[in-house]
Amino acid sequence: AQFTALSSLVLLSACGGAQSSGEKDANGAGKVTADIGVISYISGPGAAYGEAITNGLKLANEEINKKGEVEINLVIEDSAGKQDQALTAAQKLMNSKNVTAIIGPTLSTEMNVVGPEADLNGVPIMGTSTTAEGIPQIGEYVFRNSLPEALAIPASIDKAIEKYDAKKVAILYGNDDVFTKSGFDTMKKAAEEKGLEILTIETFQKGQSDYNAQLTKIKSLKPDLILASALYNEGAVIMDQARKMGIDVPFVGGNGFNSPEVIKIAGDAANGLIVATPWYGDKDDQKVQDFVKKYEEKYGKKPDQFAAQAYDALYILAEALKNAGDADRDAVRDALAETKDFQGILGSFSFDKDGDVVMEPTVLVIDEGKFTVFE
Ligand code: 1QQ
């Protein structure tokens, strides 16, 4: 009896939800309206990541609201790439009853502290650029639509081995950041699995400006490749100093290097950088070209991977809101988890059972100051 009563209750509430959101009348009544919190790295040394992300979100937001099926109001908070600031922003957003879900934060280091809180509070949260191992496994409310290092790095290393017949590598990584550490773990594992000889493992910290000691050692060991796990600021300076010291071997980097800032900071020294990405702006695809055109018109520059991932993320969330028929946090979490074969500018997208990404990367190389497909 209890079971029957419970099932009719579930049935009733399901009907209620569907009714309140049913077909729209001429005034658009019944459409789902929601506040979506955004935690983004928009000030400080890595602000170009967050700037691209918020640009991508704002563009998607305009388009989605114009279509009129759902109405999203973005509530944007700056984390400055810091754990404590990201957590404060998350608490503020979670305490607002109107916030259905959160997009961000930008860094895995931030998500590592924010994700468990959101999960505990039952607020769906989706990273658009968090690529470290284990992010979606934080809990059932935690998602990402970013290509994890575990998929990106092995693809880049494979290409580099194939292209340069590489046998010996040096690894350099930031040991004070969740993403750079996780990228290192993946690089080491991939190098071992592929039978590469690891000549040395060197470390650095955020904000470091002099890599002479690490690079001198690496140079003396004559690697065929350098595997570097870094965010763009440190990564670009490392490449610049390496080239100035006469180290001309290719670099393989993780997602942190997938920013045009690398080329802006390092100039010609960035040539020979190999990365894997789910985003390629020159792709012969109408959806991709429309996005690139609109983005350029609005912001006066080409979108990067971070803008593209954020753009798709808001569409994925809008789809979940539509399918949930309601701005309720639990309903949206469930609808989000069901995302399957979503066709975005990054291609076809699905979550696996953990809320992690199923996606194919493209390997790029910086050649003559430009990211190009590494054939
Ligand atoms: C992470 C990343 C960074 C490169 C985000 C900008 O992938 O922290 O997970």
Side-chain angles (χ1 to χ4, degrees):
Q2 209 182 1
F3 176 75
T4 320
L6 198 68
S7 4
S8 36
L9 200 74
V10 169
L11 216 83
L12 260 171
S13 63
C15 286
Q19 256 163 20
S20 70
S21 70
E23 272 95 281
K24 283 177 287 164
D25 63 25
N27 303 319
K31 87 171 157 187
V32 181
T33 301
D35 281 4
I36 300 297
V38 175
I39 306 171
S40 196
Y41 187 173
I42 39 186
S43 66
Y49 291 131
E51 185 197 308
I53 289 168
T54 42
N55 284 350
L57 291 174
K58 283 180 184 166
L59 180 56
N61 193 24
E62 278 177 17
E63 295 174 8
I64 290 164
N65 287 356
K66 209 157 158 194
K67 281 186 193 148
E69 291 174 306
V70 294
E71 172 90 28
I72 291 174
N73 173 39
L74 295 178
V75 185
I76 300 170
E77 300 285 339
D78 178 20
S79 68
K82 298 195 173 115
Q83 283 184 329
D84 53 348
Q85 213 166 306
L87 192 57
T88 306
Q91 270 149 355
K92 186 170 157 195
L93 292 167
M94 290 186 299
N95 287 339
S96 162
K97 292 264 176 304
N98 293 335
V99 171
T100 296
I102 295 173
I103 289 191
T106 304
L107 303 177
S108 293
T109 278
E110 300 170 301
M111 186 61 111
N112 241 27
V113 298
V114 170
E117 283 295 311
D119 194 55
L120 213 65
N121 287 301
V123 181
I125 186 163
M126 177 155 68
T128 71
S129 57
T130 42
T131 62
E133 189 81 37
I135 297 288
Q137 289 78 10
I138 289 172
E140 58 173 357
Y141 287 84
V142 184
F143 300 86
R144 67 166 155 210
N145 77 322
S146 35
L147 181 76
E149 296 309 314
L151 291 178
I153 288 170
S156 300
I157 294 181
D158 275 342
K159 242 333 187 241
I161 293 175
E162 179 196 317
K163 194 83 180 175
Y164 303 111
D165 193 26
K167 297 201 164 48
K168 300 173 295 171
V169 298
I171 310 183
L172 182 58
Y173 78 101
N175 64 0
D176 58 351
D177 175 270
V178 169
F179 151 76
T180 56
K181 273 196 284 189
S182 176
F184 160 67
D185 291 338
T186 304
M187 283 171 176
K188 184 163 177 282
K189 187 163 164 253
E192 284 165 357
E193 278 171 9
K194 294 169 199 309
L196 295 170
E197 183 189 348
I198 299 172
L199 300 169
T200 184
I201 294 169
E202 301 293 318
T203 60
F204 63 87
Q205 285 83 43
K206 264 182 200 165
Q208 188 165 325
S209 54
D210 179 2
Y211 301 89
N212 189 53
Q214 292 92 330
L215 291 170
T216 301
K217 178 151 176 215
I218 289 173
K219 188 180 179 194
S220 74
L221 296 167
K222 300 193 172 57
D224 302 322
L225 280 182
I226 297 172
L227 313 182
S229 185
L231 293 165
Y232 71 69
N233 246 301
E234 292 79 12
V237 175
I238 287 168
M239 288 199 77
D240 183 47
Q241 292 183 8
R243 301 306 187 218
K244 283 184 179 137
M245 285 174 63
I247 300 174
D248 56 8
V249 295
F251 273 69
V252 171
N255 275 285
F257 276 101
N258 290 0
S259 168
E261 289 298 302
V262 172
I263 298 169
K264 218 156 128 191
I265 298 168
D268 286 346
N271 290 336
L273 170 69
I274 301 157
V275 293
T277 176
W279 166 242
Y280 185 56
D282 290 330
K283 199 168 166 186
D284 186 16
D285 177 309
Q286 197 55 48
K287 220 177 208 168
V288 170
Q289 291 319 314
D290 287 349
F291 164 70
V292 171
K293 188 164 170 272
K294 276 195 250 175
Y295 190 98
E296 267 189 296
E297 274 166 16
K298 190 166 162 66
Y299 302 110
K301 58 174 126 176
K302 283 196 184 301
D304 64 14
Q305 168 186 308
F306 299 96
Q309 284 175 318
Y311 179 86
D312 267 1
L314 198 67
Y315 269 99
I316 291 168
L317 199 53
E319 204 57 32
L321 279 165
K322 221 187 318 173
N323 292 337
D326 196 327
D328 174 68
R329 289 170 173 177
D330 287 332
V332 170
R333 190 229 80 93
D334 292 348
L336 203 50
E338 295 291 313
T339 303
K340 207 165 170 26
D341 304 325
F342 167 84
Q343 300 303 316
I345 53 171
L346 301 175
S348 183
F349 179 86
S350 304
F351 288 122
D352 70 7
K353 61 172 181 22
D354 292 329
D356 211 344
V357 173
V358 187
M359 224 179 216
E360 272 292 312
T362 306
V363 180
L364 305 178
V365 63
I366 299 181
D367 187 27
E368 295 180 8
K370 209 173 166 290
F371 283 104
T372 45
V373 175
F374 199 20
E375 307 284 5

